[in-house]
């Protein structure tokens, strides 16, 4: 980036996701989309692609669109292929002198549309090398259909399809490490970020993802007050705890080189992140300490591996 | 110019002549050769199409939808399970009113898996909002593809078009063919100039909304009106095409129907076999004829009723099952079309050729024998039957 990040300056840009959309109050996805689109250079156009999900049904309900840029939604499982098609059209029409100017291609999908049903489409688009930024707003479950587990849902989380009962204690499996899988695609830029603090980390990474040539992938933690069951005003706190407990580390991988973006001064215990959320409430009942221990052990192991890879 | 090409090569050649903006490419038997031939054109610099070799048919249709919405003319080819994998997106393409052209090389749907010809794939997509045009032979496959874009892209229609040919029978058999000059094709097809598209600088566009009940039905009605309007456009384009090719096309082809008392309704390459049977029976004095449906969507119901109005007995030959319990899809359409006639011919359905089972001139002759008996006796017997079934004993 050519200039030093300045939040005040950035928010003075005309918003590309306008107010009046129908996302829930306190939704992580809305601020993430605003934040990512804010990283576009003012003079550049973009075509936004969106997988079916909360974001799509809330930001483009006929006859109103919340986007000032062109936008396309086609289906749930094909956002990356859809973006591929737009980019292919751009290349063809540019070659034939039918479009000019810089147009950037940005895709938004939730974790359902990215980790699960849209995974094949995403993997294919990354392998083909389309010039696009794929942004996953990861709220760790199928929120649009009413909070069902996805492969991104963390272990022990309660969802409508991983309920807590006499026999089962929420989701049985660990969260899929999609960011790592995207790194394995050997694409030029992969990063993990969150709507944190003054948004510098998110902004910087969004800029790199949008302006690095080739396929780039951003995984952004998107707190969901409904699905995670916490008060809607607490997004900033919850996000901060996810990062400071190392449950959601911030890092980037540029041309295969791992770089840790943030190491908390004091690594907080995982239970600090879990406690405020209703989806983990059963982990704090008497006799369930083993769950907290297992969750902590998993985070520690992932964090150590990240430190190793990033040489931090 | 005359040449000898397989159906697949003829369609690939038509695409080359058109030089579309984007192709979504994925292999599936028997349509695989179309993207293969085209890849060679790309590799040799004979076209400058953006060739996107995707990881599934789902993505090839997704690419076509997005590219067309972005302002590019896009094409793809598929068969059977590939078309089935596109199913959801076929509706998206049609409802977004994106005139994509898809070469469907018909093949039986799984299961059990079978690579040979029947219409179960495209019949499964008959309600998706796509125009469907079927070819009898290589020449028609080539001609239909060239007519597809002028039909689909016109503002009164704006619907995607599926041009269908019989897998292997048409796609792989090499036949004599008359090809048009590339400049003639290009000027006939013209350029794709939508009013609104994603990449238009002056006016950003949003495509694919969440459409609530207050609007959804109006959008579906507009789509239905477009499909109705397509009929006239198909005939107009055919008339224009005749001027450059000398070849004449309608919604269906009537073969020796002028005074026919016994008639068949069928589609595709079986028409060639059936025409031979009709000629043979005509020579014996039987008033036999046939109607070959070319345009299945929109279905030419009124026109077909008129064509069959003075016959006495009609057999529909359905090359897909449909599992309605009452006969195949072509039969359902035909019977519905005949309902408005004051005096209707007797009508039966014969499902035949599933999974590529061969049909011969003698088989067709037997159908006419049965129609003659029905016309004479006034008894249709079993209205819906399957042709040439082996017995259970034969199966083992």
């Amino acid at each position: 980036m050519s200039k030093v990040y300045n939040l005040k300056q950035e928010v003075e840009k005309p918003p590309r996701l306008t107010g009046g959309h129908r996302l829930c109050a306190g939704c992580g996805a809305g601020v993430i989309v605003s934040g990512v689109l804010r990283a576009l250079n003012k003079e550049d156009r973009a075509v936004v692609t969106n997988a079916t999900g909360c974001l799509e049904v809330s930001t483009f309900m006929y006859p109103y669109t919340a986007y000032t840029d062109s936008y396309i939604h086609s289906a749930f499982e094909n956002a990356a292929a859809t973006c591929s098609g737009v980019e292919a059209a751009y290349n063809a029409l540019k070659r034939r002198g039918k479009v000019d100017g810089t147009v950037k291609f940005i895709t938004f999908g939730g974790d359902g549309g990215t980790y699960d049903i849209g995974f094949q489409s995403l993997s294919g688009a990354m392998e083909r090398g389309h010039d696009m930024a794929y942004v996953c707003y990861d709220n760790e479950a199928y929120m649009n259909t009413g909070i069902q587990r996805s492969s991104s849902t963390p272990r022990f989380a309660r969802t409508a399809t991983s309920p807590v009962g006499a026999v089962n204690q929420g989701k049985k499996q660990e969260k899929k490490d999609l960011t790592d899988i995207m790194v394995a695609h050997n694409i030029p830029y992969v990063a993990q970020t969150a709507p944190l603090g003054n948004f510098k980390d998110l902004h910087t990474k969004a800029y790199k993802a949008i302006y690095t040539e080739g396929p780039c992938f951003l995984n952004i933690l998107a707190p969901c007050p409904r699905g995670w069951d916490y008060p809607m005003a607490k997004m900033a706190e919850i996000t901060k705890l996810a990062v400071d407990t190392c449950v959601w580390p911030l890092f980037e991988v540029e041309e295969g080189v791992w770089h840790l973006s943030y190491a908390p001064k004091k690594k907080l215990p995982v239970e600090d992140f879990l406690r405020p959320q209703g989806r983990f409430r059963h982990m704090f009942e008497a006799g369930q300490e083993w769950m907290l221990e297992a969750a902590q052990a998993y985070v520690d192991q992932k964090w150590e591996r990240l430190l190793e890879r990033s040489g931090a | 110019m005359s040449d000898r090409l397989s159906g697949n090569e003829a369609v690939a050649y038509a695409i080359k002549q058109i030089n579309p903006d984007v192709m979504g490419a994925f292999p599936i038997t028997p349509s695989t050769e179309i993207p293969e031939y085209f890849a060679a054109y790309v590799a040799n610099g004979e076209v400058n199409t953006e060739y996107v070799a995707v990881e599934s048919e789902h993505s090839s249709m997704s690419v076509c939808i997005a590219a067309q919405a972005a302002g590019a003319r896009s094409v793809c080819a598929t068969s059977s399970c590939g078309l089935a994998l596109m199913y959801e997106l076929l509706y998206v393409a049609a409802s977004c009113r994106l005139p994509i052209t898809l070469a469907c090389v018909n093949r039986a749907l799984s299961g059990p898996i079978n690579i040979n010809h029947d219409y179960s794939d495209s019949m499964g997509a008959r309600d998706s909002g796509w125009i469907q045009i079927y070819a009898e032979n290589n020449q028609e496959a080539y001609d239909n593809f060239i007519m597809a874009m002028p039909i689909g892209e016109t503002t009164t229609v704006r619907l995607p078009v599926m041009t269908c040919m019989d897998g292997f029978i048409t796609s792989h058999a090499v036949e004599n063919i008359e090809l048009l000059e590339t400049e003639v094709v290009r000027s006939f097809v013209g350029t794709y100039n939508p009013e609104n598209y994603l990449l238009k600088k002056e006016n950003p566009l949003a495509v694919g909304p969440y459409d609530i009940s207050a609007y959804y039905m109006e959008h579906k009605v507009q789509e239905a009106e477009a499909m109705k309007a397509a009929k006239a456009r198909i005939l107009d384009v055919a008339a224009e095409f005749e001027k450059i090719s000398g070849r004449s096309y309608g919604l269906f082809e009537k073969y020796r129907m002028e005074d026919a008392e016994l008639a068949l309704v069928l589609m595709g390459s079986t028409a060639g076999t059936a025409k031979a049977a009709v000629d043979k029976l005509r020579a014996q004095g039987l008033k036999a004829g046939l109607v070959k449906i070319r345009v299945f969507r929109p279905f030419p119901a009124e026109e077909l009723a008129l064509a069959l109005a003075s016959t006495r007995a009609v057999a529909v030959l359905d090359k897909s099952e449909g599992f309605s319990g009452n006969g195949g899809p072509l039969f359902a359409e035909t019977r519905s079309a005949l309902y408005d006639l004051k005096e209707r011919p007797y009508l039966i359905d014969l499902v035949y050729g599933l999974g590529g089972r061969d049909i011969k001139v003698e088989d067709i002759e037997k159908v006419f024998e049965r129609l003659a008996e029905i016309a004479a006796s006034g008894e249709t017997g079993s209205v819906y039957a399957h042709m040439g079934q082996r017995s259970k004993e034969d199966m083992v």
Side-chain angles (χ1 to χ4, degrees), chain A residues 18 36 39 42 58 90 102 143 220 229 275 281 288 298:
Chain A
T18 61
V36 168
K42 220 172 159 180
S58 305
Y90 174 72
T102 303
M143 300 313 187
I220 310 186
D229 193 3
R275 195 179 294 106
R281 190 172 295 129
Q288 305 291 34
Y298 180 74

Side-chain angles (χ1 to χ4, degrees), chain A residues 16-18 21-24 27-37 48-61 64-67 71-73 76 79 106-111 114 134-139 143-145 222, chain B residues 208-210:
Chain A
R16 287 172 180 252
L17 178 75
T18 61
H21 60 68
R22 295 150 197 257
L23 286 163
C24 302
C27 169
V31 292
I32 287 168
V33 172
S34 301
V36 168
L37 295 179
V48 174
T49 303
N50 198 183
T52 308
C54 289
L55 180 68
E56 174 260 327
V57 300
S58 305
T59 55
F60 184 24
M61 186 191 283
Y64 304 107
T65 174
Y67 301 87
Y71 169 98
I72 179 169
H73 157 257
F76 193 2
I106 306 169
T107 307
F108 294 103
D111 50 291
T114 307
Y134 189 106
V135 180
C136 175
Y137 67 96
D138 183 358
N139 53 28
M143 300 313 187
N144 193 38
T145 43
Chain B
Y210 173 47

Side-chain angles (χ1 to χ4, degrees), chain B residues 307-380:
Chain B
L308 298 175
S310 27
T311 59
R312 295 177 62 206
V314 175
V316 176
L317 297 188
D318 255 304
K319 210 175 178 185
S320 64
E321 184 15 70
F323 305 109
S324 75
N326 296 295
L330 185 56
F331 179 63
E333 296 289 350
T334 305
R335 187 145 71 165
S336 169
L338 295 185
Y339 186 81
D340 291 328
L341 289 177
K342 278 198 177 117
E343 281 183 53
R344 293 182 288 270
Y346 296 108
L347 191 66
I348 59 166
D349 186 32
L350 285 164
V351 175
Y352 76 102
L354 302 185
R357 181 165 298 184
D358 201 16
I359 185 163
K360 298 188 279 291
V361 175
E362 304 88 88
D363 300 319
I364 305 280
E365 287 178 60
K366 278 184 205 154
V367 176
F368 276 109
E369 270 171 42
R370 185 155 165 225
L371 288 179
E373 283 163 25
I374 290 170
S377 67
E379 299 289 332
T380 49

Side-chain angles (χ1 to χ4, degrees), chain B residues 59-107:
Chain B
S59 285
S60 66
M61 183 47 62
S62 299
V63 162
C64 286
I65 288 170
Q68 196 88 27
R73 183 181 263 160
S74 60
V75 300
C76 64
T78 197
S79 296
S80 183
C81 303
L83 190 69
L85 189 60
M86 290 178 182
Y87 180 75
E88 173 194 20
L89 300 166
L90 295 176
Y91 286 73
V92 172
S95 75
C96 290
R97 308 294 297 279
L98 298 169
I100 298 155
T101 309
L102 183 155
C104 177
V105 182
N106 290 107
R107 162 186 154 184

Side-chain angles (χ1 to χ4, degrees), chain B residues 227-353:
Chain B
M227 186 57 86
K228 284 200 261 176
K231 214 198 266 185
R233 179 62 183 171
I234 290 166
L235 293 174
D236 288 348
V237 171
E240 289 303 309
F241 188 76
E242 189 173 359
K243 289 182 196 160
I244 59 163
S245 67
R247 293 184 290 276
S248 162
Y249 289 99
L251 300 169
F252 48 74
E253 180 193 340
K254 289 189 282 187
Y255 187 76
R256 307 194 77 166
M257 284 298 290
E258 4 11 285
D259 59 345
E261 292 178 352
L262 311 176
L264 306 179
V265 176
L266 45 71
M267 296 163 65
S269 65
T270 304
T273 312
K275 284 172 187 171
V278 166
D279 289 345
K280 202 172 157 189
L281 295 170
R282 279 276 176 179
Q284 294 166 14
L286 199 76
K287 289 186 173 174
L290 69 84
V291 176
K292 178 189 79 186
I293 300 294
R294 172 174 179 256
V295 177
F296 188 78
R297 284 288 181 270
F299 193 78
E302 289 166 31
E303 296 83 353
L304 181 63
L306 269 178
L308 298 175
S310 27
T311 59
R312 295 177 62 206
V314 175
V316 176
L317 297 188
D318 255 304
K319 210 175 178 185
S320 64
E321 184 15 70
F323 305 109
S324 75
N326 296 295
L330 185 56
F331 179 63
E333 296 289 350
T334 305
R335 187 145 71 165
S336 169
L338 295 185
Y339 186 81
D340 291 328
L341 289 177
K342 278 198 177 117
E343 281 183 53
R344 293 182 288 270
Y346 296 108
L347 191 66
I348 59 166
D349 186 32
L350 285 164
V351 175
Y352 76 102

